[in-house]
Amino acid sequence: MRVLLGAVIAMGPGKADLLEAIEISGSISAAAKSLGMSYRRAWVLVDTINRCFREPVVTAAIGGSGGGGAEVTPYGREILQRYRAMEARAVAAVARDIEEFSAFLRSRPE
Amino acid sequence: MRVLLGAVIAMGPGKADLLEAIEISGSISAAAKSLGMSYRRAWVLVDTINRCFREPVVTAAIGGSGGGGAEVTPYGREILQRYRAMEARAVAAVARDIEEFSAFLRSRPE
């Protein structure tokens, strides 16, 4: 599930995973590393998220030795929770359809 | 919504649109043109779909002047209908969440 703001993805699976990793590690660079993502890429994703929502989702202290820490704000945690709840509800709504649809699929692409 | 078979997207928004365009036009090249997609790209998508499902989804007569026609099989139409039904159910399930979530978004990225 992707939440679009015009052509920009405000929230999606990758951004949600990144926010969770920042919550756990308290750092954009550590979060990036844990997801096998470059720091630059993680920074761009965080910047995009922050530009899409009305209040800051991630706050970061830039610079310092090893870079400053970063944290997901309470506002950001609410967004993340709502996104995960939407995901779960959508999945639950189509659980039976997916089961039926699977019968049409091969076990792997031919 | 994307239906994955391993790492391969068996069905998703782009492939569903392509199948609908093939149904309407009776041709992969005309369908590709109507979606602003190269013939090569459309052909690869159709090939991927056909390799993911147990029976042919699109049948095509290759070659001839201007290329042969193509059609979505009854089996393919069933898959397309099921995919669209899943999409609609997922959207309906989160309609209220999306409305609430929208309040957190800016009107455009800052």
Side-chain angles (χ1 to χ4, degrees):
Chain A
M1 177 169 306
R2 287 178 171 77
V3 178
L4 296 171
L5 185 54
V8 176
I9 300 172
M11 189 55 58
K15 291 189 173 81
D17 289 348
L18 179 59
L19 291 181
E20 279 165 5
I22 292 170
E23 267 197 304
I24 291 166
S25 66
S27 145
I28 293 176
S29 65
K33 193 172 290 181
S34 75
L35 296 170
M37 185 186 288
S38 71
Y39 173 75
R40 167 76 192 158
R41 169 96 181 123
W43 192 91
V44 168
L45 292 179
V46 165
D47 184 57
T48 300
I49 297 167
N50 275 338
R51 286 186 298 107
C52 286
F53 290 94
R54 294 184 183 278
E55 296 180 25
V57 171
V58 174
T59 51
I62 305 294
S65 63
E71 61 178 22
V72 178
T73 64
Y75 182 86
R77 276 199 293 277
E78 180 170 0
I79 284 165
L80 186 57
Q81 276 168 14
R82 284 177 177 270
Y83 174 78
R84 290 304 192 195
M86 272 197 282
E87 251 188 341
R89 246 190 292 275
V91 167
V94 296
R96 187 165 166 199
D97 298 272
I98 286 173
E99 201 179 308
E100 288 175 11
F101 197 89
S102 300
F104 292 82
L105 291 166
R106 293 177 187 277
S107 51
R108 66 180 67 82
E110 194 184 37
Chain B
M1 179 170 305
R2 289 179 170 77
V3 178
L4 296 171
L5 185 55
V8 176
I9 300 172
M11 189 55 59
K15 290 188 172 81
D17 289 348
L18 179 59
L19 291 181
E20 280 166 4
I22 292 170
E23 267 198 305
I24 291 166
S25 66
S27 145
I28 293 176
S29 65
K33 194 172 290 183
S34 76
L35 296 170
M37 184 187 288
S38 71
Y39 174 74
R40 167 75 193 157
R41 169 96 181 124
W43 192 91
V44 168
L45 292 179
V46 165
D47 184 58
T48 300
I49 297 168
N50 275 339
R51 286 187 295 106
C52 286
F53 291 93
R54 294 185 183 278
E55 297 180 24
V57 172
V58 174
T59 52
I62 305 294
S65 63
E71 60 178 22
V72 178
T73 64
Y75 182 85
R77 276 199 292 278
E78 181 171 357
I79 284 165
L80 185 58
Q81 277 168 15
R82 284 177 178 273
Y83 174 77
R84 290 302 193 196
M86 271 197 283
E87 250 187 341
R89 245 189 293 275
V91 167
V94 297
R96 186 165 166 198
D97 298 273
I98 286 173
E99 201 180 307
E100 289 175 10
F101 197 87
S102 300
F104 291 83
L105 290 166
R106 292 178 187 276
S107 51
R108 64 182 67 83
E110 194 185 37

